[in-house]
Amino acid sequence: MKAFLCKRVPPLGPMPNEEFDMKNLQSVERYRSYNRYFRQAEEMKNKPAWWKTYRGYVEKADPEHGAVRVDIGLPYYRPCRLKEVRERRQVMKANKENADLERACRLRTFKIPLDVVQEVWKKNRGPLHIKKLADHYGVFRDLFPMAYFLPQVSLHICYGQDNSGTVHFGNRLTPTEAASVPQISFDAEDGSLWTLLLTCPDEHLLENEAEYVHWLVGNIPGGAVQSGEELCHYLPPFPAKGTGFHRYVYVLFKQEGPINFQEDVRPSPCHSLVDRTFKTVDFYRKHQDNMTPAGLAFFQCQWDESVTNTFHNTLNMREPVFEFIRPPVYHPPQVKYPHRQPLRYLDRYRDGKENTYGIY
C-alpha cells in the first residue's frame, strides 16, 4: 500500500467565526437582545468577503438576478395605519355596546355582509393581494418584464347570460364558458378614457416570447366598453390539446387623453394568427406616455371540444395536438419453461384482447 501526504494549503483570508475561541465559549459576549443580534448580522452580511458567495455565482449566470423592478402603475397612497387602528377600535366598541348584535351572535343567527367585506378589502389590502397573486402566476414576469403595478381599479368580468363564469384572479373557466364577449364593468370617472386588453402569454404556437391578442378596445369613455373603439374583435380561448392550462389576462389601462390607435388596428374580422401576434410590453412602450396600467384580472383555461370548432370554423386551420405517443410495451421472448415467474406470465403473450393485468 502507498500513502500519499497532501500539504494543506492555508486559506486566502480569514475564515468565518475565526476570532471566537471555541474552547472557551463562556468568555464570548452575549447579544442580550434580538435587535442587537439582527443589527450585527446585517453588518456581517453586507461586509465583503474574499471568497465567492452564492450571490456572485447567481449574478454571473443571470445578470438580472436581484434587480429592482419598476412600478409602472398609478401612485398608491397607503392608508394611515394609526387611522385604521382608531377606526377599528371605534367599531369594536360600538359592536360591544350593541345588544342586538350580541344576541344574534349568541344564537348563531348573525350574517356577515360579504359585499361590505369585499368593498373594504378592495380599498385597503386588495391591490397588494392581487399583485401577489399576479406574481405567483407569473403575469408580470411574462407581460411586463422587470416591472409591475398595483391594480387599483377593480374589474368585474362575467361570462354568460346568468353571470355564471366570473373572472377573478386565476380561477378556472372552460373555453365553452368564455366563447362569447363578456360583460365588463369598472368604476370610472366621467370624461375618463380607458383601454382594455385580453391576451394570452401561453398560447403562441411558434414563438415562446410572443402572445396572441384576443380582444383589444381603446378610447373607452367612462366605463362603457361597448362604446369604445374596437381595435381587435373578440376571439374565444383556444388552448391546444395536450398543453395544459393557459393564462388569459385582462389588463385595463387608464389613458391621459384620446390616443390614435391606427397602427394597432387589426382587420375585422381578424381570423389570422399572424395578425394576432402581440407583445404587451411593446404595446405599452409605444403608448407609455399616454396610458398607465390600472386594473388586472385573469383566468385559466384548458382544452375542451369547443377548441376544435374554433380551429376548424373560425381560424380555418388544422387543430394542433400535443400528446405523448407511448411506444409499445416491450416483452422479452417467451420461454417454454418460465422459472420463478408469476402465474400470469402467459397473459403477456395471449392473443386477442389487450392485456389488462398490468406490466411486469
Side-chain angles (χ1 to χ4, degrees):
M1 296 179 63
K2 295 182 180 180
F4 294 93
L5 298 179
C6 298
K7 185 179 180 180
R8 186 174 181 179
V9 180
L12 301 178
M15 298 297 291
N17 302 328
E18 194 176 40
E19 65 275 10
F20 296 110
D21 185 7
M22 305 303 296
K23 296 181 180 180
N24 189 14
L25 295 178
Q26 299 296 331
S27 61
V28 179
E29 184 182 2
R30 300 182 182 276
Y31 291 108
R32 295 189 182 89
S33 67
Y34 175 77
N35 292 334
R36 187 179 179 187
Y37 160 76
F38 184 77
R39 184 168 59 252
Q40 293 188 14
E42 288 292 327
E43 293 176 358
M44 295 302 297
K45 184 182 71 172
N46 298 327
K47 186 178 179 180
W50 58 267
W51 60 82
K52 194 170 183 181
T53 60
Y54 171 75
R55 181 182 299 176
Y57 281 103
V58 174
E59 289 179 352
K60 184 178 179 181
D62 184 9
E64 296 183 355
H65 176 76
V68 180
R69 297 189 300 172
V70 182
D71 185 2
I72 59 176
L74 298 174
Y76 178 69
Y77 301 100
R78 191 168 185 174
C80 180
R81 178 62 178 171
L82 183 59
K83 184 179 178 180
E84 288 183 351
V85 172
R86 288 177 180 175
E87 292 178 354
R88 182 176 180 84
R89 287 178 179 175
Q90 293 177 0
V91 172
M92 292 177 64
K93 184 178 180 180
N95 290 341
K96 290 181 180 180
E97 296 175 353
N98 192 339
D100 297 336
L101 181 62
E102 186 274 335
R103 187 183 302 107
C105 294
R106 178 163 40 83
L107 298 177
R108 298 182 180 181
T109 58
F110 177 71
K111 295 183 178 180
I112 300 176
L114 296 181
D115 296 339
V116 177
V117 174
Q118 188 173 11
E119 290 298 326
V120 174
W121 173 77
K122 290 179 181 178
K123 294 180 180 179
N124 295 337
R125 302 297 177 184
L128 298 175
H129 293 170
I130 297 173
K131 174 186 171 296
K132 289 183 179 180
L133 285 171
D135 284 330
H136 175 75
Y137 284 96
V139 174
F140 295 139
R141 178 195 62 202
D142 295 334
L143 298 188
F144 303 96
M146 302 307 300
Y148 72 96
F149 67 92
L150 291 177
Q152 301 187 40
V153 180
S154 300
L155 279 171
H156 303 277
I157 305 173
C158 298
Y159 284 97
Q161 298 295 334
D162 54 351
N163 297 334
S164 58
T166 304
V167 178
H168 297 290
F169 310 103
N171 59 311
R172 298 179 181 179
L173 296 178
T174 63
T176 303
E177 293 176 334
S180 58
V181 178
Q183 300 177 5
I184 301 179
S185 62
F186 54 90
D187 297 332
E189 304 87 1
D190 295 336
S192 59
L193 294 176
W194 306 79
T195 297
L196 182 65
L197 167 68
L198 173 58
T199 182
C200 178
D202 307 320
E203 207 171 36
H204 206 281
L205 300 175
L206 300 177
E207 301 179 33
N208 292 333
E209 303 296 331
E211 312 160 23
Y212 284 137
V213 56
H214 283 257
W215 199 21
L216 184 58
V217 184
N219 294 322
I220 301 174
V225 179
Q226 65 277 5
S227 301
E229 179 185 355
E230 191 173 51
L231 309 177
C232 184
H233 81 280
Y234 183 82
L235 181 66
F238 52 93
K241 188 175 183 179
T243 56
F245 283 96
H246 291 194
R247 298 163 295 171
Y248 294 86
V249 186
Y250 281 93
V251 183
L252 182 67
F253 298 90
K254 185 176 182 180
Q255 301 177 196
E256 300 294 335
I259 300 177
N260 185 7
F261 290 108
Q262 289 298 327
E263 298 180 359
D264 303 301
V265 176
R266 266 68 172 178
S268 182
C270 182
H271 294 156
S272 173
L273 294 182
V274 177
D275 295 337
R276 286 187 176 268
T277 300
F278 186 80
K279 284 189 177 182
T280 304
V281 63
D282 294 342
F283 175 77
Y284 171 71
R285 285 173 180 170
K286 187 190 305 182
H287 305 287
Q288 62 181 347
D289 295 334
N290 300 316
M291 64 168 53
T292 305
L296 181 70
F298 55 97
F299 65 96
Q300 300 182 80
C301 260
Q302 68 174 349
W303 182 91
D304 68 356
E305 291 77 8
S306 66
V307 177
T308 303
N309 179 60
T310 302
F311 273 108
H312 291 174
N313 300 330
T314 304
L315 300 177
N316 296 321
M317 60 179 292
R318 296 178 60 184
E319 180 186 8
V321 178
F322 301 89
E323 288 185 330
F324 178 72
I325 302 177
R326 295 185 177 275
V329 180
Y330 170 75
H331 294 304
Q334 184 179 4
V335 296
K336 186 174 183 180
Y337 301 104
H339 180 61
R340 303 179 71 88
Q341 294 292 336
L343 295 176
R344 292 179 292 180
Y345 171 79
L346 295 177
D347 291 340
R348 301 187 191 181
Y349 312 97
R350 198 182 300 274
D351 296 333
K353 296 183 179 180
E354 184 179 359
N355 175 28
T356 59
Y357 294 102
I359 303 172
Y360 304 102

